[in-house]
């Protein structure tokens, strides 16, 4: 199977699983406010997991050269595109929730900073191909993707870390993933600089 076909399989499988998850949640909880709040929470978590997998792929490979890290690094682009699918479903759920929940409100600050994360995300999606790399030049492409990945990490951090302090039972695992991902990248960077 070629790289493009493998990538299509990764993104297609992730999309099917994510859509099925949302459908099951809505069947179980209804299509009212409760159901859409559950979809928002679930897609936030799947987005974090997929984002973190793409975010740490090269760092993981630096520390462990097994089959799993080889696969993850080779498919990082497609895992990242799967994150984009998950986060698009998350956005759609937020928009739907804003229409079905009378008391739903989002601050202007959240709209601006969260909106910028989506701008970066979709810019990365549009340039996640070899043609875009060639057109932009590798240095500019790397700058965009590095900035976008770090900014999306920042949004997850500011979302989950305060919640983990207030409600550790619910949010500590997500906060640990956020912190662990950054720590792994820093450790890989330090190791590369010192070798």
């Amino acid at each position: 199977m070629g790289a493009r076909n493998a990538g299509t399989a990764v993104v297609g499988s992730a999309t099917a699983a994510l859509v099925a998850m949302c459908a099951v949640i809505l069947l179980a909880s209804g299509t009212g406010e409760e159901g859409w709040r559950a979809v928002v929470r679930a897609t936030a978590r799947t987005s974090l997991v997929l984002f973190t997998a793409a975010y740490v792929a090269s760092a993981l490979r630096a520390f462990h050269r097994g089959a799993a890290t080889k696969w993850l690094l080779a498919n990082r682009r497609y895992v990242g595109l799967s994150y984009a699918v998950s986060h698009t479903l998350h956005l759609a759920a937020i928009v739907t929730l804003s229409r079905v929940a009378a008391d739903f409100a989002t601050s202007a600050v959240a709209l601006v900073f969260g909106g910028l994360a989506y701008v970066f995300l979709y810019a990365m999606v549009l340039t996640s191909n070899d043609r875009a790399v060639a057109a932009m030049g590798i240095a500019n492409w790397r700058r965009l993707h590095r900035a976008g990945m770090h900014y999306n990490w920042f949004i997850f951090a500011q979302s989950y870390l305060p919640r983990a302090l207030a409600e550790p039972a619910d949010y500590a695992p997500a906060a640990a993933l956020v912190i662990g991902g950054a720590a792994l990248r820093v450790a890989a960077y330090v190791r590369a600089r010192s070798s």
Side-chain angles (χ1 to χ4, degrees):
M1 181 182 291
R4 183 173 294 176
N5 289 339
T8 301
V10 170
V11 178
S13 297
T15 300
L18 289 162
V19 169
M21 176 192 75
C22 294
V24 168
I25 290 169
L26 292 171
L27 283 171
S29 302
T31 56
E33 180 177 349
E34 180 185 347
W36 286 106
R37 284 191 185 277
V39 172
V40 167
R41 287 190 299 273
T43 52
R45 290 177 175 148
T46 56
S47 292
L48 175 60
V49 169
L50 289 165
F51 167 80
T52 303
Y55 190 63
V56 302
S58 60
L60 277 174
R61 184 68 177 160
F63 287 106
H64 181 69
R65 301 189 72 77
T69 58
K70 180 181 179 182
W71 182 91
L72 182 59
L73 186 59
N75 290 282
R76 174 175 50 184
R77 174 183 289 179
Y78 307 112
V79 174
L81 291 171
S82 299
Y83 158 57
V85 171
S86 178
H87 224 44
T88 299
L89 291 171
H90 180 66
L91 178 61
I94 290 172
V95 170
T96 305
L97 179 61
S98 72
R99 294 173 185 230
V100 300
D103 64 340
F104 181 82
T106 302
S107 70
V109 172
L111 284 173
V112 170
F113 284 95
L116 183 55
Y118 279 99
V119 170
F120 271 122
L121 175 60
Y122 293 131
M124 289 189 294
V125 166
L126 291 172
T127 58
S128 285
N129 57 75
D130 295 338
R131 185 178 301 156
V133 176
M136 295 175 68
I138 191 66
N140 289 328
W141 184 89
R142 283 182 176 152
R143 284 187 196 102
L144 169 63
H145 283 251
R146 190 176 297 122
M149 291 289 275
H150 289 312
Y151 188 80
N152 272 257
W153 177 88
F154 166 76
I155 293 299
F156 281 118
Q158 67 82 33
S159 177
Y160 281 115
L161 299 185
R163 290 176 181 168
L165 293 173
E167 302 174 67
D170 290 332
Y171 293 103
L177 201 56
V178 170
I179 294 169
L184 188 60
R185 282 184 64 112
V186 169
Y189 175 80
V190 169
R191 180 177 176 175
R193 295 279 293 184
S194 62
S195 61

